[in-house]
Amino acid sequence: MATQTYDAIVIGSGITGGWAAKELTEKGLRTLVLEAGRPIDPDQDYVEHVPAWEKKFRGLGDRRKGMEEQLVQRECYACDEWASKFFVNDRENPYSTDTNKPFLWIRGRQVGGRSIMWGRQSYRWSDLDFEANLRDGIAVDWPIRSQDIARWYDYVEEFIGVSGQAEGLPQLPDGKFLPPMQMTCAEMVVKDAIDKYFPGERRMTIGRTAILTQRHNGRAACHYCGPCHRGCSTRSYFSSLNATLPVAQATGKMTLRPFSVVHSIIFDPKARRAAGVRAIDGQSKQALEFRSRLVFLCASALESTRILLNSSTAEFPNGLGNGSGELGHNLMDHCMGGGATGRMPGNQDRMEAGRRPNGIYLPRFRNVRDKHAGFTRGYGYQGGGYRENWQRGIEMAGFGTEFKRSLRQLGPWMFDFYGFGECLPNPANYIELDPKKKDAWGIPALSIHCAFGENERALLKDMSIAAAEMLSAAGATDIQPFIEDNAPGLTIHEMGTARMGRDPKTSVLNANNQLHDVSNLFVTDGACMASSSCVNPSLTYMALTARACDYAVGLMKKGEL
Ligand SMILES: Cc1cc2nc3c(=O)[nH]c(=O)nc-3n(C[C@H](O)[C@H](O)[C@H](O)COP(=O)(O)OP(=O)(O)OC[C@H]3O[C@@H](n4cnc5c(N)ncnc54)[C@H](O)[C@@H]3O)c2cc1C
Ligand code: SF4
């Protein structure tokens, strides 16, 4: 077991690990990136242009393999016949849940992590979010406010490229946007109706997305081919593979080691520091050890906390850095799936241009100015207006030539509103090590205890009613409100379990994502979140990661770390 020493170790190479690798190497640190999964070669592995008829199962997927190896992952829309290779094997990566409390843990294990399949929706937090816990007397107050992170949002957006429209809304701060994508004509009709009937309260905008609408930082503009979760040969959307890791590589300071499954952190009790990490070679299953001055945990929210839980010492019998007893608690995921669908009359002579990889966004409007009687916090909608195509035939009666001919015509314009609601931090939603289960590398697996509560259910109900109300105002017909019963996890915005806070007695991390108890150990993925807002979270993880790298290297330079 040879031991190698670096300035910094980054665990994970997904959205946050890629950012840590870029920042630390650009600041001159010799950085080892340990990634559990395999390397990805975009020229071979990206398959967004492969048509269904070239796939063995014609795009319908290998159901037997799915049942055997991806029983959880196949619940995610993006785990299709093309992209299922980017999702984990559930048998090799097991976890347990309580009976009747499912949690769908959707994961990617490869260089690039889930940045390859993510939906790229990118929104900033406002102080409505950072002050929420304090205002509502729930959990702990965030130790930061939007002014602490605003310049890091600028920094991240300028690098990754986010297209969007500035709206001047206090609850959804504007960013450094590339030109926005265009709305479809059905979306313009709905937008106009919302402006007319809900003035000053609701505003619909085009989705803010980490996709290039013009050439940017050496990457090409998007050509609207559509299925981004299968990769992007022109590198037009942000992923760590497309953007951050190549920059880190170019510094000559990064060593990227795939097939390196981190088991735990090595803690030096005398120095009270992380001395390095223990890992297992993913292929040979040999034990490995690496040393460094600095460790960044970026393995994704639950995996990072699992590593800390597996790093118990005599001083920290319940997980490294768990002096507060909070490690593992307050697991959150957005509650999604309240909304409505409707048919938009008119515009029969128009159609969409290309396959725009984006939709609309309608930012939170509940509990922004007035207090809603039925629930706390709020939700935003994603969705969009589109023309139905031949796939409507699945639900239509008919057969034969006439039926096929009718499906060659474009269908009516439809519009969907699909809500994403804030999940409250709740100590009863938590993770711990399963006493019996281990993964394929012999590392103790997680036991996840999580369920949505009354507030999340009330949000889902209101999402559905308010969506139908707006479609009605826009003149839609056949309006169908819906409320889906989605298990937590399926929104794939899992976060919390190692929260930030001011007080070491009630939080795991300080305002700079540094463990209160272990000064050279940082957790910058979703584990750090003290509340969840209702917007997609990854832009905030990226900004927090870049900020924490700057802080850590600053301390190192001053000789304080
Ligand atoms: C289909 C889909 C759509 C999504 N849409 C959006 C969206 O529109 N907007 C948004 O904000 N978010 C979205 N997300 C969520 C987003 O992908 C995650 O928030 C983000 O990837 C988290 O970044 P991360 O670095 O924490 O984790 P990941 O990107 O998952 O990367 C973690 C990496 O750590 C590695 N790792 C794990 N354990 C270990 C270990 N023990 N040792 C070594 N390495 C390890 C993994 O292999 C992985 O490569 C979506 C996700 C999916 C799957
Ligand atoms: S739609 Fe655009 S971002 Fe998505 S894969 Fe195609 S070119 Fe890339």
Side-chain angles (χ1 to χ4, degrees), residues 380-435:
Y381 293 104
Q382 295 177 29
Y386 55 93
R387 271 197 98 154
E388 280 201 321
N389 59 23
W390 60 269
Q391 285 170 327
R392 70 192 186 283
I394 295 165
E395 288 172 5
M396 276 165 60
F399 66 92
T401 315
E402 262 322 297
F403 181 63
K404 280 202 252 177
R405 190 171 295 140
S406 74
L407 289 179
R408 283 206 192 103
Q409 311 301 315
L410 280 173
W413 282 99
M414 304 296 292
F415 195 99
D416 301 340
F417 275 122
Y418 193 85
F420 289 74
E422 178 158 358
C423 171
L424 294 179
N426 174 358
N429 287 336
Y430 69 100
I431 56 175
E432 60 182 345
L433 294 179
D434 187 294

Side-chain angles (χ1 to χ4, degrees), residues 115-129:
S115 72
I116 298 174
M117 314 86 90
W118 76 308
R120 307 157 307 277
Q121 291 293 302
S122 299
Y123 301 96
R124 293 183 175 208
W125 278 38
S126 70
D127 276 337
L128 185 71
D129 303 309

Side-chain angles (χ1 to χ4, degrees), residues 15-16 35-36 110 113-114 119-121 262 299-300 492 525 538:
I15 287 191
T16 58
E35 165 54 52
Q110 60 261 322
R114 287 176 295 184
R120 307 157 307 277
Q121 291 293 302
V262 171
S300 78
I492 328 178
D525 54 34
S538 306

Side-chain angles (χ1 to χ4, degrees), residues 48-49 120 211 221-228 231-237 355 357:
E48 79 278 17
H49 294 147
R120 307 157 307 277
I211 296 182
C222 168
H223 54 271
Y224 281 34
C225 67
C228 313
C232 180
S233 309
T234 50
R235 319 297 201 262
S236 306
Y237 71 78
R355 297 188 187 129

Side-chain angles (χ1 to χ4, degrees), residues 175-193:
K176 301 272 178 192
F177 296 136
L178 300 180
M181 293 185 183
Q182 269 193 328
M183 286 191 185
T184 62
C185 52
E187 289 163 357
M188 288 178 197
V189 171
V190 174
K191 180 181 167 46
D192 288 348

